[in-house]
Amino acid sequence: MTDSSTALYCLIGDPVSGSISPNVHTAAYAAMGLNAVYLAFRVPSDALRAAVDGLRVLARGFNVTIPHKTRVALMVDELTHEASLTSAVNAVAVRDGYLVGHNTDALAASDLVDKLNARGGAATIVGAGGAAKSVAYALWRKGFSKVFVLDRNPDRAEALASGVKSVYGIDASAAPLSAGSLAEALARSNLLVNATPLGMYGGELDLPEEALGHDLAVMDLAYSPGGTGLVRRARALGLRTADGVEFLVIQAAYSIQFWVGAWPPLDVMMRAAEEVMAGAAREG
């Protein structure tokens, strides 16, 4: 039961209507015996500063999702090592009104690269926003030597590729996202990461099946009941995959550890996520 001492944690972004984060965090807090709640708030871009200022007073911590990760990095008082390198924040700790920005996406992506046994080599990142910046950090951490950045906005792709070169010293190139550019990049890659909402909020990654080689590992940061189209196709071909539900649960676990100083039960969190996704699939 909530009371005056209940801690508020939340998610801010636009959109947030399909997020399963409240279910995942609520399950973790219950298992850990925390007197806390987790809510999702839709915050449009023109209200972001007001929302962050309000949470500075009201919350103990909050997560940040699209499209605010880069802007929030400029609004906090301090950045962790990961957040500083990526210039993107997805988790903020509120400590007596002082905001510390962290990037738990980067840590989750690193863990999933390990799970996929995809260390080193070349990788293709689809997307060039805050999530893509986090993936670039993970690739650097895991010894990748080449990164292809593809985005519908060529300027954003070029900016991320330039950042990968200057910050991490990794050879990186950029191209506008198309079926042709994707196929060309994948022919030289051993890892594909979808760091866009494609497959989650409409649309799917346009991927020619012949581009999915049998030595390719696939990580999709988006999630959807039954799996995104990309993940379903990759699994049907027998490729190693990590999906957006795994990514969300792991970054949520790192967020909770950042906020309360204790590691939450991943099995409880994953079970909560799977129950929500299964229910959504039945309703769909």
Side-chain angles (χ1 to χ4, degrees):
M1 180 178 292
T2 59
D3 55 32
S4 60
S5 63
T6 300
L8 170 65
Y9 299 96
C10 64
L11 171 69
I12 61 172
D14 187 14
V16 294
S17 58
S19 176
I20 62 173
S21 290
N23 305 79
V24 170
H25 281 262
T26 297
Y29 301 161
M32 298 172 76
L34 300 177
N35 181 11
V37 296
Y38 189 97
L39 304 173
F41 297 118
R42 175 182 172 270
V43 176
S45 294
D46 60 1
L48 181 59
R49 169 62 74 178
V52 170
D53 287 344
L55 292 173
R56 186 186 290 271
V57 177
L58 298 174
R60 300 277 184 87
F62 57 96
N63 285 126
V64 184
T65 189
I66 56 173
H68 303 321
K69 295 177 184 182
T70 302
R71 285 184 62 200
V72 168
L74 302 174
M75 296 179 181
V76 298
D77 303 305
E78 181 182 338
L79 296 172
T80 65
H81 175 70
E82 292 81 6
S84 179
L85 283 177
T86 59
S87 300
V89 162
N90 79 295
V92 178
V94 183
R95 298 169 180 168
D96 295 325
Y98 187 81
L99 304 183
V100 182
H102 193 17
N103 194 314
T104 67
D105 285 345
L107 301 178
S110 296
D111 286 359
L112 289 179
V113 170
D114 282 340
K115 178 214 169 188
L116 292 170
N117 193 26
R119 283 171 174 256
T124 296
I125 304 175
V126 177
K133 292 178 180 180
S134 305
V135 170
Y137 170 89
L139 298 177
W140 166 68
R141 239 182 120 179
K142 301 304 177 182
F144 279 76
S145 58
K146 175 67 179 177
V147 174
F148 302 96
V149 180
L150 308 179
D151 192 82
R152 289 172 172 171
N153 184 325
D155 292 337
R156 288 213 320 166
E158 186 58 51
L160 179 56
S162 296
V164 169
K165 290 178 187 177
S166 62
V167 176
Y168 304 121
I170 299 174
D171 182 23
S173 60
L177 176 61
S178 68
S181 65
L182 188 52
E184 184 177 344
L186 290 180
R188 301 170 58 191
S189 301
N190 58 303
L191 174 66
L192 165 64
V193 183
N194 174 33
T196 76
L198 285 170
M200 186 170 176
Y201 296 115
E204 289 287 354
L205 188 58
D206 182 15
L207 189 63
E209 191 162 307
E210 60 271 18
L212 292 172
H214 288 291
D215 60 345
L216 184 71
V218 175
M219 184 192 307
D220 196 344
L221 306 192
Y223 58 86
S224 180
T228 62
L230 173 62
V231 167
R232 292 196 305 270
R233 291 175 67 188
R235 287 175 177 166
L237 291 170
L239 305 183
R240 305 186 311 280
T241 63
D243 66 24
V245 173
E246 295 172 272
F247 177 76
L248 179 142
V249 167
I250 296 171
Q251 68 80 19
Y254 278 115
S255 295
I256 293 171
Q257 182 185 51
F258 178 52
W259 293 330
V260 307
W263 186 253
L266 275 178
D267 56 338
V268 170
M269 298 169 72
M270 184 60 72
R271 190 158 54 246
E274 290 171 345
E275 288 173 356
V276 176
M277 297 304 289
R282 287 192 298 270
E283 291 176 6

